[in-house]
Amino acid sequence: MSLLSVEGLKVTYGLRNPVYAVRGVSFEIFEEEFVGLVGESGCGKSTLGFAIARLERPPARIAGGRVVLDGRDWTAMSERELRPHRWKDVSVVLQSGMNALNPVMTIEAQFRDVMVQHTDWSEPAIRQRALEVLDMVHIDRDILFRYPHELSGGMKQRVVIAMAFLLHPKLIILDEPTTALDMVVQREIMDNLMELRGREKFSLLFISHDLGLVLEISDRVLIMYAGQIVEENRAENLLEYGLHPYTQALMRSLPVPGSDAREFHGLRGSPPNLRQMPKGCAFAPRCDLVTAECHEVEPDLEDINGAKVRCHVVGKEVRVRGSEPSIG
Amino acid sequence: MNHGRRALFGVTSGESERDGSCMKYFLKRVLLLIATLWVAITLNFLIPRMMPGNPGQAVIAKFAGEGHPLTPSALKAIDAMLGLSHASLPVQYWQYLGEVVHLNFGVSYSYFPYTVTELIAKALPWTLGLVGVSTVISFFVGTGLGVLVAWRRNQATDGILTSIAAFTGAFPYFWFALAAVYVLGFLLNWFPLSGGYEVGAIPHLSWGFILDVIHHAILPAVTVVVSSIGGWLIGMRNNMINTLGEDYVLLARAKGLSNRWIATMYAARNAILPNITGFGMALGFVVAGSLLTEVVFGYPGMGNLLYNAVINEDYPLMQGIFLVIVFCVIMANFLVDLLYVFIDPRVRERRGSGA
């Protein structure tokens, strides 16, 4: 059984004339699986991440679907019912670790309150766990009694990651954890996460706009476009080829290690206005493979060779050939 | 990776570093305090002396205007009576500094032969009691309600309380006070119309007198609280709504902490900082009394004293009162600065070791 099962989740902004930021998303995360969620700014990936942890803030609202985490339907539970499960079942790391720490509390106090809230650990056990998680992210134990403003940006982000591990959560949602950091610190944090995978048992939802980063850390990748999953595929397959034209465009924008190619290909146009969605496929106006059907009928997310893709053209092509497509 | 090998808590070095910057911060504040006081005292000396004429001549002119011309020899007597000096400015300044240190602000013109110090000493306790207590009540209740309505923003509590706060905050104070006196004092006769205690009573420590004082203070205190509480409430509400949008509050929710803990330690604790500065200022200005309150209610405090000093052109009294107000405002700011060290850890670094 899967650890997390998202079923037809819809998130809207605003009550009158709502904008659908997440339009019927379904996927699963299994135990100890690392799943990446990739998309460009405004595609709804962060909204989706927050909604899964039931942290959506007004005017955002869950308008339909379910989030089942460890057998419990989080969308059907009240805030009071959710509270005992928060941080134990799912913890989050926010995009800006800089602002995720309370400026007037020491790191120790911010570690302690969550442990006091959810456990009956003794004082020494609480202290012990605080030191353990700091060791896990390779930060000096000294900083435990420091205030956030006394730490660098990279250290703060590590502290936030350490905090996410305090209660041995089943799932950790990382929302752009390295976006605000420089490349060197980003590298260290990614290596650190890979290392932690061997030490702790947890599943990961890694949200980022950086496909390269996501491919590196994930077992499975979800590509999101205009509030929908357009492709779900294993990371190693994606490294070979992307099925959806949008995925392919994203892949073409990545530098290829070892090649001399200095030309990267961007994607023409811009994402659709969520207030005025095109009738057919949301990606059709920017797609190179577009057909008449694409402008009329919205494609479904279909199973193809163990992957899932939301495309009329690629879907048919693969079905007709009945074998793996060759991209030339 | 030598993290494990480090001493369990190498925090001592960090702590002593922090103590050092605290000390520096404190010394800086004290020096600034002394400098500000000196400037204030000096200005208080200079400004009246830059005016044309002198108080002795003013008295002569007043008598002449009333048809009682005085001989120039009387000028000397008047100067002696008022303690005026014709020495050079630096000499006067030195004498003045000596007098200020001994809290001797001279003789009041309008309440002659009372000294300014005596008058202020008599008025100050009344004002501290009335305006001080109402300012403290107003701050705590207003700020507390601000936290509450921000937490329940866009709900009924918020709508009702915030509207009331905006309404009472915008009231013309004198109108409100006069209406209170008229309705509750004059028509309903629930409270005395004016004064700090029953006419003819002699201030002394007894339950009867204390109850009498409280009875007289309720109406002015309520008007002060009602007119100032809205500002605290709305200020706190706005700050708090800003902090509620911060990532650390979102993370606190994700951590599954109790609402009470999030509202106080995460949101209010950060939102209250500007309100504390405002509170320090307000406490400093308490000694100025609430001029309108004390005039409307005939309260024997500093506001009334200042009012009388101004209409009687009693310069020594005005100067004395201004000096006391300036001193208290500066001291209050100093204390708030020190308090910040405890409530905002960022201040220690930024102001202590930085610029």
Side-chain angles (χ1 to χ4, degrees):
Chain A
M1 199 186 79
S2 57
L3 173 70
L4 171 75
S5 163
V6 177
E7 298 160 16
L9 191 65
K10 288 178 182 153
V11 184
T12 59
Y13 281 94
L15 281 176
R16 257 171 284 163
N17 208 355
V19 172
Y20 278 81
V22 175
R23 304 186 295 146
V25 165
S26 305
F27 68 93
E28 290 181 317
I29 296 181
F30 296 92
E31 269 172 36
E32 291 183 59
E33 187 185 27
F34 280 24
V35 173
L37 177 60
V38 184
E40 60 201 287
S41 297
C43 73
K45 57 189 190 302
S46 291
T47 305
L48 174 60
F50 284 136
I52 290 170
R54 289 304 315 279
L55 291 172
E56 75 281 0
R57 289 199 272 199
R61 199 174 66 86
I62 292 182
R66 301 204 306 158
V67 174
V68 181
L69 181 61
D70 200 29
R72 269 180 289 269
D73 182 358
W74 276 45
T75 44
M77 287 158 78
S78 69
E79 187 62 36
R80 183 180 290 273
E81 290 167 326
L82 285 173
R83 192 170 297 141
H85 299 290
R86 289 192 179 282
W87 219 253
K88 280 174 120 172
D89 287 3
V90 57
S91 62
V92 296
V93 173
L94 299 179
Q95 179 163 4
S96 44
M98 336 281 153
N99 305 326
L101 293 167
N102 184 348
V104 297
M105 284 168 77
T106 60
I107 306 302
E108 196 266 348
Q110 298 186 54
F111 280 7
R112 167 189 299 275
D113 64 7
V114 69
M115 290 190 272
V116 169
Q117 177 81 36
H118 294 288
T119 70
D120 50 5
W121 295 348
S122 65
E123 270 306 300
I126 285 177
R127 174 61 48 80
Q128 184 56 37
R129 184 61 188 158
L131 295 174
E132 260 171 40
V133 293
L134 284 183
D135 288 348
M136 280 163 54
V137 295
H138 307 309
I139 294 193
D140 274 0
R141 291 175 161 204
D142 305 18
I143 69 102
L144 199 55
F145 290 98
R146 297 244 168 218
Y147 287 94
H149 73 272
E150 298 177 284
L151 310 180
S152 69
M155 281 163 91
K156 273 187 244 183
Q157 191 60 288
R158 281 163 187 265
V159 166
V160 174
I161 291 173
M163 187 152 71
F165 281 98
L166 276 171
L167 302 180
H168 307 280
K170 296 170 182 128
L171 172 68
I172 300 180
I173 298 176
L174 293 159
D175 183 19
E176 304 264 12
T178 61
T179 304
L181 304 171
D182 66 58
M183 295 308 284
V184 176
V185 180
Q186 172 174 323
R187 182 75 266 143
E188 285 168 2
I189 287 185
M190 293 307 288
D191 289 345
N192 194 194
L193 282 172
M194 297 304 287
E195 175 198 335
L196 286 172
R197 188 171 195 180
R199 292 182 49 178
E200 296 266 326
K201 285 190 167 187
F202 64 103
S203 303
L204 191 77
L205 178 61
F206 190 97
I207 302 173
S208 178
H209 65 271
D210 187 337
L211 180 58
L213 216 54
V214 167
L215 283 174
E216 184 181 337
I217 197 168
S218 310
D219 304 316
R220 202 149 46 85
V221 176
L222 309 165
I223 310 283
M224 198 162 174
Y225 186 80
Q228 289 177 324
I229 305 288
V230 293
E231 176 164 355
E232 177 186 329
N233 210 337
R234 301 210 56 81
E236 66 261 26
N237 291 348
L238 275 179
L239 280 171
E240 298 287 321
Y241 58 84
L243 289 173
H244 196 278
Y246 179 60
T247 316
Q248 290 168 6
L250 286 180
M251 297 295 294
R252 275 198 302 273
S253 69
L254 291 179
V256 181
S259 92
D260 296 336
R262 287 176 186 268
E263 247 179 84
F264 303 124
H265 297 274
L267 188 54
R268 68 189 152 84
S270 48
N273 182 351
L274 290 173
R275 286 188 185 279
Q276 296 164 337
M277 290 299 291
K279 194 174 162 198
C281 173
F283 188 63
R286 305 173 79 183
C287 185
D288 291 331
L289 308 177
V290 65
T291 63
E293 187 190 13
C294 299
H295 286 297
E296 293 301 319
V297 187
E298 190 168 36
D300 292 324
L301 195 62
E302 288 178 83
D303 282 300
I304 295 172
N305 297 341
K308 285 179 182 167
V309 67
R310 189 186 290 276
C311 180
H312 292 306
V313 181
V314 174
K316 275 193 197 97
E317 200 176 290
V318 176
R319 268 194 301 278
V320 167
R321 291 204 207 151
S323 64
E324 290 195 353
S326 58
I327 302 296
Chain B
M1 257 155 267
N2 59 353
H3 305 88
R5 264 181 272 135
R6 289 189 63 99
L8 191 61
F9 291 112
V11 289
T12 41
S13 62
E15 285 295 338
S16 66
E17 209 173 278
R18 206 177 285 161
D19 286 349
S21 75
C22 265
M23 206 55 215
K24 241 186 189 168
Y25 174 79
F26 179 73
L27 280 177
K28 253 183 195 169
R29 290 286 118 183
V30 171
L31 285 178
L32 196 65
L33 171 76
I34 293 170
T36 321
L37 280 177
W38 175 71
V39 169
I41 290 170
T42 304
L43 283 178
N44 204 42
F45 167 79
L46 281 178
I47 291 172
R49 279 165 183 76
M50 289 194 300
M51 293 193 295
N54 72 48
Q57 283 164 351
V59 172
I60 299 259
K62 196 172 156 193
F63 274 90
E66 287 167 0
H68 305 285
L70 297 178
T71 58
S73 62
L75 185 61
K76 219 169 180 174
I78 292 170
D79 282 355
M81 180 184 88
L82 299 178
L84 295 176
S85 163
H86 291 281
S88 68
L89 218 53
V91 173
Q92 280 191 44
Y93 181 56
W94 185 249
Q95 285 171 344
Y96 164 83
L97 285 183
E99 301 295 345
V100 167
V101 169
H102 294 102
L103 296 181
N104 185 1
F105 303 114
V107 182
S108 159
Y109 297 170
S110 51
Y111 293 92
F112 188 82
Y114 280 108
T115 64
V116 169
T117 313
E118 283 167 337
L119 289 170
I120 292 177
K122 235 170 84 182
L124 199 53
W126 293 101
T127 288
L128 287 182
L130 175 70
V131 187
V133 169
S134 17
T135 303
V136 170
I137 291 176
S138 182
F139 170 75
F140 281 103
V141 176
T143 305
L145 288 177
V147 172
L148 185 79
V149 297
W151 188 258
R152 304 195 176 165
R153 61 194 178 286
N154 303 329
Q155 295 176 21
T157 330
D158 178 28
I160 294 166
L161 278 178
T162 308
S163 308
I164 293 176
F167 186 63
T168 60
F171 258 6
Y173 174 75
F174 58 92
W175 181 85
F176 178 59
L178 286 173
V181 170
Y182 181 69
V183 175
L184 298 176
F186 183 71
L187 288 184
L188 297 171
N189 212 8
W190 288 354
F191 298 100
L193 292 176
S194 79
Y197 47 90
E198 207 54 55
V199 180
I202 296 158
H204 62 291
L205 265 185
S206 77
W207 283 115
F209 184 72
I210 291 172
L211 285 177
D212 183 35
V213 167
I214 292 175
H215 192 217
H216 276 79
I218 289 177
L219 206 50
V222 165
T223 59
V224 172
V225 169
V226 166
S227 63
S228 60
I229 201 168
W232 297 120
L233 188 151
I234 289 175
M236 188 63 191
R237 175 182 182 272
N238 292 349
N239 295 338
M240 176 101 171
I241 282 176
N242 276 338
T243 41
L244 283 174
E246 293 284 348
D247 279 349
Y248 50 78
V249 174
L250 183 70
L251 199 77
R253 233 181 96 204
K255 281 160 89 177
L257 303 174
S258 70
N259 280 342
R260 185 178 294 262
W261 186 257
I262 298 175
T264 53
M265 285 306 288
Y266 282 76
R269 186 79 169 60
N270 283 288
I272 205 169
L273 299 176
N275 254 32
I276 294 222
T277 307
F279 183 51
M281 301 284 283
L283 279 186
F285 279 109
V286 160
V287 292
S290 182
L291 197 83
L292 284 171
T293 318
E294 295 188 7
V295 172
V296 168
F297 290 93
Y299 209 76
M302 294 287 281
N304 228 336
L305 196 63
L306 180 60
Y307 176 71
N308 286 327
V310 171
I311 55 173
N312 292 318
E313 294 183 38
D314 191 342
Y315 288 106
L317 188 52
M318 273 192 262
Q319 268 183 282
I321 294 173
F322 286 143
L323 209 55
V324 170
I325 294 172
V326 167
F327 179 78
C328 291
V329 170
I330 293 174
M331 280 309 286
N333 273 319
F334 174 69
L335 293 177
V336 167
D337 272 344
L338 293 192
L339 184 65
Y340 255 83
V341 174
F342 296 101
I343 56 176
D344 188 354
R346 286 162 295 186
V347 168
R348 289 166 216 164
E349 309 292 308
R350 203 190 308 141
R351 298 205 196 154
S353 56

